[in-house]
Every structure is written in structure tokens, then in C-alpha cells.
Amino acid sequence: LLCFDPASAVTADEPEGGNWRCMDDTCAHRFAPLSEGRISNGCLSCAYHGWSYDGDGACVKIPSAESAESAERAKANPKSRVRSYPVKRGAGMLWVWPDSSQDALAAAMAVELPVSQLLSRLVEQKPNIGYMRELPYGAELLGENLLDLAHLPHSHHGLGALNRESAGPVPLRFEMNPEPSSSILKGPAPLLQASVVAPILNDPILKTMATRRPLP
């Protein structure tokens, strides 16, 4: 997928524009990567033959067409369109709704972004606090990874105080619809909250820190 702002030449590394779009990174003509192209007059132009697309993925220009009539016929062909996806901005990130159907935009706008007010305030105060990393999987697998603390000593051995020799069971406590546990958390409580049982004894990070510097 390719995210871009038709109003400027910034990329997803600098999400400062207000009209972000997302589409397949494949030109409908010869399947060249559109990410190799450029933004011109609010449209994304392919670097191979100059086919240009608006923010909705519709082809608006075919420079090599023999005539204006043939260009219009080709642009009207559904196969000349690149699939596009609804985009929202939140907490300094671009959120893509992975559906290109006619009802996708309405469905995407009806869903609230899973961004806490705490995170939103943090990004407002420190806009450069985050970083971008491309991961070849969805949010569900990422959430599972973040809850799986037992992998830390092995996968992140040598990072800070983490050490594979300190690996062990990590008992978790799960709570449904808990009350906010901190006064800085405003708004609805999360549907599911997980915490480590006796973290100083079982949390991989805290346990190795305690080993290096025993608590008084």
C-alpha cells in the first residue's frame, strides 16, 4: 500500500498534511510501483508511462494515448482504476481501513479510532516521540506480541537488562471492563486490561533490573 497527501510532496514519514489518501502501490497500466512516481497537480503520477491517478484511484491522465477520445475510453475502463482505501489520522499516525468497496468510506468513518486520550495528549505535547516501522502483519498479531512478555529475554537478549538466562513463566491477570487505574486516564476504560502478577518477580524487565540492582 502507498499513503500520500495529494496537496504536497510529503510522504508517510511526515504525516502533516490534512488530506491523506491510500491506494495499492501498483499502476493499473504495467503494474509498476506507484511509490516510484511523483505527485503532480494533486495527482499521483506513475514513473513508467506517466499515467496519473487522483486520490480516489481514478485514472485522470494517459500521456501516451493516441487521441483524446482513446484516452477517455481507457480512463473510463474499470481496469484503469487503482484500488483506494479510506484513511484517518490519529495520534500522529495514519490508519487505513483495508476495504476498497463502495461502502468502505462510510464504514470507516463510523468506527472510532482505538486511540486513548492519554496517547493523543502525549503526541500533542511531544509530536516527535514516535517512530515508524513497517511490519508484515496486522494489528491483531501485534497486540498478541505486545501481551506476550515471555518472549522478551530471548528475542531481545542483550537489550538493556534483558538476558535469556533470566527467562521464566510470566503469569498474567486479565480483567474485563476494569476501572481506570490511573487518574491521568480519562474517558472509557479499556474493554480488556492485562497486568503481570507480582511484576517485580515475574516481569522480565523489572526482574533483570532487580537482579542487577537489588531493591533495599
Side-chain angles (χ1 to χ4, degrees):
L1 296 180
L2 171 65
C3 293
F4 70 101
D5 184 350
S8 66
V10 299
T11 66
D13 294 321
E14 306 173 23
E16 298 300 332
N19 193 28
W20 282 89
R21 303 302 179 96
C22 179
M23 61 177 62
D24 286 343
D25 189 15
T26 306
C27 180
H29 180 213
R30 296 285 186 176
F31 313 122
L34 290 172
S35 55
E36 299 291 335
R38 63 191 182 91
I39 297 174
S40 176
N41 297 322
C43 295
L44 187 59
S45 178
C46 179
Y48 199 8
H49 292 88
W51 282 40
S52 296
Y53 304 89
D54 64 15
D56 295 324
C59 182
V60 296
K61 184 178 180 181
I62 303 178
S64 56
E66 294 181 349
S67 65
E69 292 76 14
S70 63
E72 290 303 317
R73 287 196 302 270
K75 289 188 292 184
N77 190 322
K79 293 183 178 180
S80 296
R81 191 180 190 91
V82 176
R83 286 184 300 183
S84 62
Y85 309 90
V87 177
K88 279 186 177 182
R89 290 185 60 202
M93 295 178 282
L94 297 177
W95 301 75
V96 178
W97 186 264
D99 180 8
S100 60
S101 67
Q102 293 182 347
D103 302 326
L105 180 60
M109 295 301 106
V111 175
E112 185 177 354
L113 292 178
V115 177
S116 69
Q117 295 185 21
L118 174 61
L119 178 58
S120 296
R121 290 198 301 271
L122 181 62
V123 172
E124 289 177 2
Q125 297 170 2
K126 300 180 179 180
N128 298 322
I129 192 172
Y131 65 94
M132 188 183 77
R133 180 181 179 188
E134 293 187 10
L135 301 173
Y137 45 79
E140 297 84 359
L141 186 57
L142 176 60
E144 180 180 325
N145 170 262
L146 296 177
L147 286 173
D148 178 17
L149 300 182
H151 83 276
L152 293 176
H154 292 280
S155 298
H156 304 283
H157 172 77
L159 180 63
L162 290 172
N163 190 302
R164 64 175 65 94
E165 301 300 327
S166 63
V170 183
L172 298 177
R173 179 189 297 111
F174 293 92
E175 301 174 77
M176 296 295 295
N177 298 317
E179 292 295 327
S181 58
S182 173
S183 60
I184 61 174
L185 179 61
K186 306 297 182 181
L191 295 177
L192 175 65
Q193 182 169 301
S195 57
V196 179
V197 177
I200 194 63
L201 300 177
N202 298 309
D203 185 289
I205 297 178
L206 295 180
K207 183 168 61 174
T208 50
M209 291 176 62
T211 302
R212 291 190 175 188
R213 182 179 297 179
L215 297 177

